């Protein structure tokens, strides 16, 4: 685990990220808050590309919890069976859809606690939805951010909650809205798990990672 970087270094890192990609976007396809919740829930232990492939046709016919319940679990399974853990995920999608209809009038709630109470929705999923749909500066820490944060020194921590807290405490407020997207994309395409592409890294000179590649 790298040491926590100072404020000025972190500001320079995110200034570079912003210059490279001013408006970073999540890579999960969705058309509304409900389909975003479903897509993020399906993405656990799966790739965004794989989820998008599975939901392309699904969201054309089931883009609300009411339509998903009418579709039924077995038809849902046929759409998402290429995704890992699809049977359990299908059960959770149906359960959360039922709760949204019965308790929230078919609308997706905009509080972290309410979102986390839904089956298959954890803190990470809740934070993604809060950030991407309601533009709240919530930080969804996945494996890419965890790896990048600890390698670079931007937001080191022993677990995801510690890393999330380090992001909130140490990244300047004006970068918080897009912080997790910049870090996810950097971890996904540059600061990869095996053989990180340090030679092509925007922040190579600022990063604390001791095992930089050529």
């Amino acid at each position: 685990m790298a040491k926590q970087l100072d404020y000025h270094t972190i500001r320079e890192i995110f200034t570079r990220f912003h210059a490279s990609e001013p408006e970073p976007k999540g890579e999960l396809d969705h058309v509304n808050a409900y389909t975003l919740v479903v897509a993020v829930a399906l993405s656990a232990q799966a790739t965004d590309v794989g989820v998008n492939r599975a939901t392309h046709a699904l969201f054309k016919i089931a883009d609300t919890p009411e339509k998903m319940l009418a579709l039924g679990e077995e038809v849902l399974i046929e759409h998402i069976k290429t995704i890992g853990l699809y049977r359990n995920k299908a059960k959770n999608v149906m359960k959360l859809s039922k709760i949204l209809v019965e308790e929230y009038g078919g609308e997706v709630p905009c509080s972290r606690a309410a979102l986390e109470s839904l089956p298959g929705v954890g803190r990470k999923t809740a934070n993604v939805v809060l950030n991407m749909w309601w533009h709240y500066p919530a930080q969804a820490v996945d494996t890419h951010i965890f790896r990048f944060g600890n390698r670079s020194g931007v937001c080191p921590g022993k677990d995801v909650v510690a890393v999330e807290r380090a992001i909130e405490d140490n990244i300047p407020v004006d970068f918080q809205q897009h912080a997790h997207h910049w870090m996810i994309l950097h971890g996904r395409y540059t600061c990869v798990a095996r053989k990180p592409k340090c030679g092509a890294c925007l922040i190579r000179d600022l990063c604390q990672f001791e095992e930089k590649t050529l």
Side-chain angles (χ1 to χ4, degrees), residues 121-147:
V121 176
R123 187 175 184 86
K124 175 194 161 190
T125 298
N127 281 346
V128 170
V129 175
L130 290 171
N131 183 287
M132 289 180 64
W133 193 256
W134 284 288
H135 308 296
Y136 179 79
Q139 307 301 332
V141 178
D142 69 353
T143 55
H144 299 300
I145 292 180
F146 189 81
R147 179 175 65 253

PDB file of all heavy atoms in Angstrom, residues 121-147:
ATOM      1  N   VAL A 121     -28.631  -5.226  -4.190  1.00  0.00           N
ATOM      2  CA  VAL A 121     -28.056  -3.875  -4.283  1.00  0.00           C
ATOM      3  C   VAL A 121     -27.216  -3.608  -3.040  1.00  0.00           C
ATOM      4  O   VAL A 121     -27.754  -3.485  -1.946  1.00  0.00           O
ATOM      5  CB  VAL A 121     -29.149  -2.801  -4.427  1.00  0.00           C
ATOM      6  CG1 VAL A 121     -28.526  -1.400  -4.432  1.00  0.00           C
ATOM      7  CG2 VAL A 121     -29.960  -3.030  -5.690  1.00  0.00           C
ATOM      8  N   GLY A 122     -25.911  -3.542  -3.206  1.00  0.00           N
ATOM      9  CA  GLY A 122     -25.015  -3.237  -2.105  1.00  0.00           C
ATOM     10  C   GLY A 122     -24.586  -1.782  -2.140  1.00  0.00           C
ATOM     11  O   GLY A 122     -25.119  -0.978  -2.919  1.00  0.00           O
ATOM     12  N   ARG A 123     -23.617  -1.443  -1.331  1.00  0.00           N
ATOM     13  CA  ARG A 123     -23.149  -0.062  -1.241  1.00  0.00           C
ATOM     14  C   ARG A 123     -22.582   0.422  -2.576  1.00  0.00           C
ATOM     15  O   ARG A 123     -22.828   1.559  -2.985  1.00  0.00           O
ATOM     16  CB  ARG A 123     -22.091   0.061  -0.141  1.00  0.00           C
ATOM     17  CG  ARG A 123     -21.677   1.503   0.135  1.00  0.00           C
ATOM     18  CD  ARG A 123     -20.715   1.597   1.308  1.00  0.00           C
ATOM     19  NE  ARG A 123     -20.382   2.980   1.634  1.00  0.00           N
ATOM     20  CZ  ARG A 123     -21.111   3.752   2.430  1.00  0.00           C
ATOM     21  NH1 ARG A 123     -22.222   3.276   2.958  1.00  0.00           N
ATOM     22  NH2 ARG A 123     -20.744   5.004   2.685  1.00  0.00           N
ATOM     23  N   LYS A 124     -21.824  -0.442  -3.254  1.00  0.00           N
ATOM     24  CA  LYS A 124     -21.229  -0.038  -4.522  1.00  0.00           C
ATOM     25  C   LYS A 124     -22.318   0.300  -5.541  1.00  0.00           C
ATOM     26  O   LYS A 124     -22.272   1.345  -6.197  1.00  0.00           O
ATOM     27  CB  LYS A 124     -20.339  -1.144  -5.068  1.00  0.00           C
ATOM     28  CG  LYS A 124     -19.768  -0.843  -6.452  1.00  0.00           C
ATOM     29  CD  LYS A 124     -19.189  -2.099  -7.090  1.00  0.00           C
ATOM     30  CE  LYS A 124     -19.053  -1.913  -8.578  1.00  0.00           C
ATOM     31  NZ  LYS A 124     -18.721  -3.146  -9.296  1.00  0.00           N
ATOM     32  N   THR A 125     -23.306  -0.582  -5.684  1.00  0.00           N
ATOM     33  CA  THR A 125     -24.397  -0.352  -6.632  1.00  0.00           C
ATOM     34  C   THR A 125     -25.147   0.931  -6.285  1.00  0.00           C
ATOM     35  O   THR A 125     -25.453   1.750  -7.155  1.00  0.00           O
ATOM     36  CB  THR A 125     -25.376  -1.545  -6.644  1.00  0.00           C
ATOM     37  OG1 THR A 125     -24.682  -2.708  -7.079  1.00  0.00           O
ATOM     38  CG2 THR A 125     -26.543  -1.287  -7.585  1.00  0.00           C
ATOM     39  N   ALA A 126     -25.435   1.107  -5.007  1.00  0.00           N
ATOM     40  CA  ALA A 126     -26.144   2.311  -4.572  1.00  0.00           C
ATOM     41  C   ALA A 126     -25.362   3.565  -4.932  1.00  0.00           C
ATOM     42  O   ALA A 126     -25.925   4.545  -5.435  1.00  0.00           O
ATOM     43  CB  ALA A 126     -26.392   2.249  -3.061  1.00  0.00           C
ATOM     44  N   ASN A 127     -24.061   3.541  -4.702  1.00  0.00           N
ATOM     45  CA  ASN A 127     -23.233   4.714  -4.997  1.00  0.00           C
ATOM     46  C   ASN A 127     -23.162   4.998  -6.491  1.00  0.00           C
ATOM     47  O   ASN A 127     -23.151   6.156  -6.915  1.00  0.00           O
ATOM     48  CB  ASN A 127     -21.831   4.528  -4.428  1.00  0.00           C
ATOM     49  CG  ASN A 127     -21.766   4.793  -2.929  1.00  0.00           C
ATOM     50  OD1 ASN A 127     -22.687   5.355  -2.352  1.00  0.00           O
ATOM     51  ND2 ASN A 127     -20.690   4.383  -2.299  1.00  0.00           N
ATOM     52  N   VAL A 128     -23.116   3.944  -7.312  1.00  0.00           N
ATOM     53  CA  VAL A 128     -23.114   4.144  -8.767  1.00  0.00           C
ATOM     54  C   VAL A 128     -24.394   4.847  -9.195  1.00  0.00           C
ATOM     55  O   VAL A 128     -24.368   5.804  -9.984  1.00  0.00           O
ATOM     56  CB  VAL A 128     -22.973   2.801  -9.520  1.00  0.00           C
ATOM     57  CG1 VAL A 128     -23.219   3.007 -11.017  1.00  0.00           C
ATOM     58  CG2 VAL A 128     -21.590   2.203  -9.314  1.00  0.00           C
ATOM     59  N   VAL A 129     -25.524   4.387  -8.695  1.00  0.00           N
ATOM     60  CA  VAL A 129     -26.817   4.968  -9.071  1.00  0.00           C
ATOM     61  C   VAL A 129     -26.922   6.416  -8.575  1.00  0.00           C
ATOM     62  O   VAL A 129     -27.356   7.302  -9.319  1.00  0.00           O
ATOM     63  CB  VAL A 129     -27.982   4.118  -8.518  1.00  0.00           C
ATOM     64  CG1 VAL A 129     -29.327   4.781  -8.809  1.00  0.00           C
ATOM     65  CG2 VAL A 129     -27.950   2.713  -9.130  1.00  0.00           C
ATOM     66  N   LEU A 130     -26.518   6.659  -7.346  1.00  0.00           N
ATOM     67  CA  LEU A 130     -26.559   8.021  -6.801  1.00  0.00           C
ATOM     68  C   LEU A 130     -25.688   8.964  -7.631  1.00  0.00           C
ATOM     69  O   LEU A 130     -26.061  10.104  -7.898  1.00  0.00           O
ATOM     70  CB  LEU A 130     -26.078   8.026  -5.348  1.00  0.00           C
ATOM     71  CG  LEU A 130     -27.009   7.378  -4.320  1.00  0.00           C
ATOM     72  CD1 LEU A 130     -26.306   7.261  -2.971  1.00  0.00           C
ATOM     73  CD2 LEU A 130     -28.302   8.173  -4.172  1.00  0.00           C
ATOM     74  N   ASN A 131     -24.536   8.477  -8.064  1.00  0.00           N
ATOM     75  CA  ASN A 131     -23.612   9.309  -8.827  1.00  0.00           C
ATOM     76  C   ASN A 131     -24.071   9.514 -10.255  1.00  0.00           C
ATOM     77  O   ASN A 131     -24.164  10.649 -10.744  1.00  0.00           O
ATOM     78  CB  ASN A 131     -22.216   8.685  -8.803  1.00  0.00           C
ATOM     79  CG  ASN A 131     -21.172   9.532  -9.514  1.00  0.00           C
ATOM     80  OD1 ASN A 131     -21.158   9.601 -10.743  1.00  0.00           O
ATOM     81  ND2 ASN A 131     -20.289  10.156  -8.767  1.00  0.00           N
ATOM     82  N   MET A 132     -24.390   8.422 -10.938  1.00  0.00           N
ATOM     83  CA  MET A 132     -24.679   8.505 -12.369  1.00  0.00           C
ATOM     84  C   MET A 132     -26.056   9.085 -12.672  1.00  0.00           C
ATOM     85  O   MET A 132     -26.232   9.770 -13.683  1.00  0.00           O
ATOM     86  CB  MET A 132     -24.534   7.123 -13.020  1.00  0.00           C
ATOM     87  CG  MET A 132     -23.105   6.637 -13.120  1.00  0.00           C
ATOM     88  SD  MET A 132     -22.986   5.003 -13.902  1.00  0.00           S
ATOM     89  CE  MET A 132     -23.598   5.360 -15.556  1.00  0.00           C
ATOM     90  N   TRP A 133     -27.039   8.811 -11.822  1.00  0.00           N
ATOM     91  CA  TRP A 133     -28.394   9.271 -12.128  1.00  0.00           C
ATOM     92  C   TRP A 133     -28.733  10.591 -11.445  1.00  0.00           C
ATOM     93  O   TRP A 133     -29.322  11.482 -12.052  1.00  0.00           O
ATOM     94  CB  TRP A 133     -29.428   8.200 -11.772  1.00  0.00           C
ATOM     95  CG  TRP A 133     -30.763   8.533 -12.369  1.00  0.00           C
ATOM     96  CD1 TRP A 133     -31.860   9.042 -11.731  1.00  0.00           C
ATOM     97  CD2 TRP A 133     -31.110   8.466 -13.751  1.00  0.00           C
ATOM     98  NE1 TRP A 133     -32.876   9.274 -12.616  1.00  0.00           N
ATOM     99  CE2 TRP A 133     -32.449   8.922 -13.886  1.00  0.00           C
ATOM    100  CE3 TRP A 133     -30.440   8.047 -14.895  1.00  0.00           C
ATOM    101  CZ2 TRP A 133     -33.109   8.983 -15.100  1.00  0.00           C
ATOM    102  CZ3 TRP A 133     -31.086   8.098 -16.113  1.00  0.00           C
ATOM    103  CH2 TRP A 133     -32.406   8.559 -16.209  1.00  0.00           C
ATOM    104  N   TRP A 134     -28.364  10.697 -10.148  1.00  0.00           N
ATOM    105  CA  TRP A 134     -28.720  11.919  -9.422  1.00  0.00           C
ATOM    106  C   TRP A 134     -27.530  12.881  -9.276  1.00  0.00           C
ATOM    107  O   TRP A 134     -27.650  13.920  -8.636  1.00  0.00           O
ATOM    108  CB  TRP A 134     -29.317  11.576  -8.059  1.00  0.00           C
ATOM    109  CG  TRP A 134     -30.733  11.102  -8.192  1.00  0.00           C
ATOM    110  CD1 TRP A 134     -31.836  11.853  -8.491  1.00  0.00           C
ATOM    111  CD2 TRP A 134     -31.214   9.759  -8.052  1.00  0.00           C
ATOM    112  NE1 TRP A 134     -32.962  11.064  -8.533  1.00  0.00           N
ATOM    113  CE2 TRP A 134     -32.616   9.775  -8.272  1.00  0.00           C
ATOM    114  CE3 TRP A 134     -30.602   8.547  -7.750  1.00  0.00           C
ATOM    115  CZ2 TRP A 134     -33.393   8.635  -8.205  1.00  0.00           C
ATOM    116  CZ3 TRP A 134     -31.380   7.407  -7.695  1.00  0.00           C
ATOM    117  CH2 TRP A 134     -32.757   7.457  -7.911  1.00  0.00           C
ATOM    118  N   HIS A 135     -26.404  12.525  -9.836  1.00  0.00           N
ATOM    119  CA  HIS A 135     -25.218  13.388  -9.846  1.00  0.00           C
ATOM    120  C   HIS A 135     -24.764  13.777  -8.438  1.00  0.00           C
ATOM    121  O   HIS A 135     -24.242  14.866  -8.217  1.00  0.00           O
ATOM    122  CB  HIS A 135     -25.473  14.644 -10.693  1.00  0.00           C
ATOM    123  CG  HIS A 135     -25.983  14.316 -12.067  1.00  0.00           C
ATOM    124  ND1 HIS A 135     -25.230  13.622 -12.992  1.00  0.00           N
ATOM    125  CD2 HIS A 135     -27.182  14.548 -12.661  1.00  0.00           C
ATOM    126  CE1 HIS A 135     -25.936  13.453 -14.097  1.00  0.00           C
ATOM    127  NE2 HIS A 135     -27.121  13.993 -13.920  1.00  0.00           N
ATOM    128  N   TYR A 136     -24.974  12.850  -7.514  1.00  0.00           N
ATOM    129  CA  TYR A 136     -24.461  13.033  -6.160  1.00  0.00           C
ATOM    130  C   TYR A 136     -23.023  12.517  -6.140  1.00  0.00           C
ATOM    131  O   TYR A 136     -22.739  11.475  -6.722  1.00  0.00           O
ATOM    132  CB  TYR A 136     -25.333  12.246  -5.170  1.00  0.00           C
ATOM    133  CG  TYR A 136     -24.886  12.352  -3.738  1.00  0.00           C
ATOM    134  CD1 TYR A 136     -25.194  13.485  -2.978  1.00  0.00           C
ATOM    135  CD2 TYR A 136     -24.150  11.335  -3.137  1.00  0.00           C
ATOM    136  CE1 TYR A 136     -24.776  13.592  -1.664  1.00  0.00           C
ATOM    137  CE2 TYR A 136     -23.724  11.439  -1.827  1.00  0.00           C
ATOM    138  CZ  TYR A 136     -24.037  12.563  -1.098  1.00  0.00           C
ATOM    139  OH  TYR A 136     -23.617  12.673   0.207  1.00  0.00           O
ATOM    140  N   PRO A 137     -22.089  13.215  -5.498  1.00  0.00           N
ATOM    141  CA  PRO A 137     -20.684  12.792  -5.545  1.00  0.00           C
ATOM    142  C   PRO A 137     -20.378  11.560  -4.691  1.00  0.00           C
ATOM    143  O   PRO A 137     -19.481  11.565  -3.839  1.00  0.00           O
ATOM    144  CB  PRO A 137     -19.940  14.027  -5.033  1.00  0.00           C
ATOM    145  CG  PRO A 137     -20.905  14.715  -4.134  1.00  0.00           C
ATOM    146  CD  PRO A 137     -22.255  14.502  -4.781  1.00  0.00           C
ATOM    147  N   ALA A 138     -21.147  10.491  -4.915  1.00  0.00           N
ATOM    148  CA  ALA A 138     -20.919   9.233  -4.207  1.00  0.00           C
ATOM    149  C   ALA A 138     -19.800   8.465  -4.918  1.00  0.00           C
ATOM    150  O   ALA A 138     -19.665   8.539  -6.138  1.00  0.00           O
ATOM    151  CB  ALA A 138     -22.203   8.404  -4.191  1.00  0.00           C
ATOM    152  N   GLN A 139     -19.015   7.732  -4.152  1.00  0.00           N
ATOM    153  CA  GLN A 139     -17.851   7.048  -4.712  1.00  0.00           C
ATOM    154  C   GLN A 139     -18.044   5.538  -4.665  1.00  0.00           C
ATOM    155  O   GLN A 139     -18.064   4.942  -3.595  1.00  0.00           O
ATOM    156  CB  GLN A 139     -16.590   7.453  -3.933  1.00  0.00           C
ATOM    157  CG  GLN A 139     -16.388   8.956  -3.817  1.00  0.00           C
ATOM    158  CD  GLN A 139     -16.283   9.654  -5.167  1.00  0.00           C
ATOM    159  OE1 GLN A 139     -15.865   9.064  -6.158  1.00  0.00           O
ATOM    160  NE2 GLN A 139     -16.673  10.922  -5.218  1.00  0.00           N
ATOM    161  N   ALA A 140     -18.200   4.937  -5.825  1.00  0.00           N
ATOM    162  CA  ALA A 140     -18.393   3.492  -5.922  1.00  0.00           C
ATOM    163  C   ALA A 140     -17.035   2.822  -6.099  1.00  0.00           C
ATOM    164  O   ALA A 140     -16.427   2.897  -7.165  1.00  0.00           O
ATOM    165  CB  ALA A 140     -19.301   3.168  -7.108  1.00  0.00           C
ATOM    166  N   VAL A 141     -16.551   2.183  -5.059  1.00  0.00           N
ATOM    167  CA  VAL A 141     -15.219   1.580  -5.086  1.00  0.00           C
ATOM    168  C   VAL A 141     -15.300   0.140  -5.583  1.00  0.00           C
ATOM    169  O   VAL A 141     -15.874  -0.724  -4.929  1.00  0.00           O
ATOM    170  CB  VAL A 141     -14.566   1.622  -3.684  1.00  0.00           C
ATOM    171  CG1 VAL A 141     -13.192   0.955  -3.719  1.00  0.00           C
ATOM    172  CG2 VAL A 141     -14.447   3.062  -3.200  1.00  0.00           C
ATOM    173  N   ASP A 142     -14.724  -0.100  -6.767  1.00  0.00           N
ATOM    174  CA  ASP A 142     -14.644  -1.459  -7.293  1.00  0.00           C
ATOM    175  C   ASP A 142     -13.189  -1.914  -7.266  1.00  0.00           C
ATOM    176  O   ASP A 142     -12.324  -1.251  -6.689  1.00  0.00           O
ATOM    177  CB  ASP A 142     -15.232  -1.528  -8.708  1.00  0.00           C
ATOM    178  CG  ASP A 142     -14.384  -0.792  -9.732  1.00  0.00           C
ATOM    179  OD1 ASP A 142     -13.415  -0.105  -9.346  1.00  0.00           O
ATOM    180  OD2 ASP A 142     -14.683  -0.911 -10.934  1.00  0.00           O
ATOM    181  N   THR A 143     -12.900  -3.060  -7.875  1.00  0.00           N
ATOM    182  CA  THR A 143     -11.539  -3.594  -7.837  1.00  0.00           C
ATOM    183  C   THR A 143     -10.542  -2.666  -8.536  1.00  0.00           C
ATOM    184  O   THR A 143      -9.382  -2.566  -8.125  1.00  0.00           O
ATOM    185  CB  THR A 143     -11.473  -4.985  -8.498  1.00  0.00           C
ATOM    186  OG1 THR A 143     -11.998  -4.905  -9.832  1.00  0.00           O
ATOM    187  CG2 THR A 143     -12.292  -5.994  -7.720  1.00  0.00           C
ATOM    188  N   HIS A 144     -10.996  -1.987  -9.600  1.00  0.00           N
ATOM    189  CA  HIS A 144     -10.102  -1.083 -10.328  1.00  0.00           C
ATOM    190  C   HIS A 144      -9.693   0.100  -9.461  1.00  0.00           C
ATOM    191  O   HIS A 144      -8.515   0.477  -9.418  1.00  0.00           O
ATOM    192  CB  HIS A 144     -10.780  -0.578 -11.607  1.00  0.00           C
ATOM    193  CG  HIS A 144     -11.143  -1.670 -12.559  1.00  0.00           C
ATOM    194  ND1 HIS A 144     -10.212  -2.522 -13.111  1.00  0.00           N
ATOM    195  CD2 HIS A 144     -12.342  -2.055 -13.061  1.00  0.00           C
ATOM    196  CE1 HIS A 144     -10.815  -3.373 -13.915  1.00  0.00           C
ATOM    197  NE2 HIS A 144     -12.114  -3.119 -13.894  1.00  0.00           N
ATOM    198  N   ILE A 145     -10.662   0.706  -8.773  1.00  0.00           N
ATOM    199  CA  ILE A 145     -10.368   1.846  -7.906  1.00  0.00           C
ATOM    200  C   ILE A 145      -9.531   1.408  -6.709  1.00  0.00           C
ATOM    201  O   ILE A 145      -8.586   2.104  -6.307  1.00  0.00           O
ATOM    202  CB  ILE A 145     -11.658   2.534  -7.434  1.00  0.00           C
ATOM    203  CG1 ILE A 145     -12.349   3.224  -8.611  1.00  0.00           C
ATOM    204  CG2 ILE A 145     -11.372   3.541  -6.317  1.00  0.00           C
ATOM    205  CD1 ILE A 145     -13.631   3.936  -8.249  1.00  0.00           C
ATOM    206  N   PHE A 146      -9.865   0.265  -6.142  1.00  0.00           N
ATOM    207  CA  PHE A 146      -9.119  -0.245  -4.986  1.00  0.00           C
ATOM    208  C   PHE A 146      -7.648  -0.429  -5.354  1.00  0.00           C
ATOM    209  O   PHE A 146      -6.745  -0.022  -4.608  1.00  0.00           O
ATOM    210  CB  PHE A 146      -9.725  -1.570  -4.512  1.00  0.00           C
ATOM    211  CG  PHE A 146      -9.159  -2.057  -3.207  1.00  0.00           C
ATOM    212  CD1 PHE A 146      -9.621  -1.539  -1.999  1.00  0.00           C
ATOM    213  CD2 PHE A 146      -8.163  -3.023  -3.181  1.00  0.00           C
ATOM    214  CE1 PHE A 146      -9.097  -1.991  -0.785  1.00  0.00           C
ATOM    215  CE2 PHE A 146      -7.630  -3.462  -1.975  1.00  0.00           C
ATOM    216  CZ  PHE A 146      -8.101  -2.946  -0.773  1.00  0.00           C
ATOM    217  N   ARG A 147      -7.413  -1.040  -6.531  1.00  0.00           N
ATOM    218  CA  ARG A 147      -6.040  -1.267  -6.993  1.00  0.00           C
ATOM    219  C   ARG A 147      -5.324   0.050  -7.270  1.00  0.00           C
ATOM    220  O   ARG A 147      -4.209   0.283  -6.801  1.00  0.00           O
ATOM    221  CB  ARG A 147      -6.062  -2.131  -8.258  1.00  0.00           C
ATOM    222  CG  ARG A 147      -4.684  -2.413  -8.854  1.00  0.00           C
ATOM    223  CD  ARG A 147      -4.771  -3.366 -10.025  1.00  0.00           C
ATOM    224  NE  ARG A 147      -5.496  -2.822 -11.159  1.00  0.00           N
ATOM    225  CZ  ARG A 147      -6.731  -3.200 -11.533  1.00  0.00           C
ATOM    226  NH1 ARG A 147      -7.382  -4.119 -10.856  1.00  0.00           N
ATOM    227  NH2 ARG A 147      -7.305  -2.649 -12.583  1.00  0.00           N
TER     228      ARG A 147
END
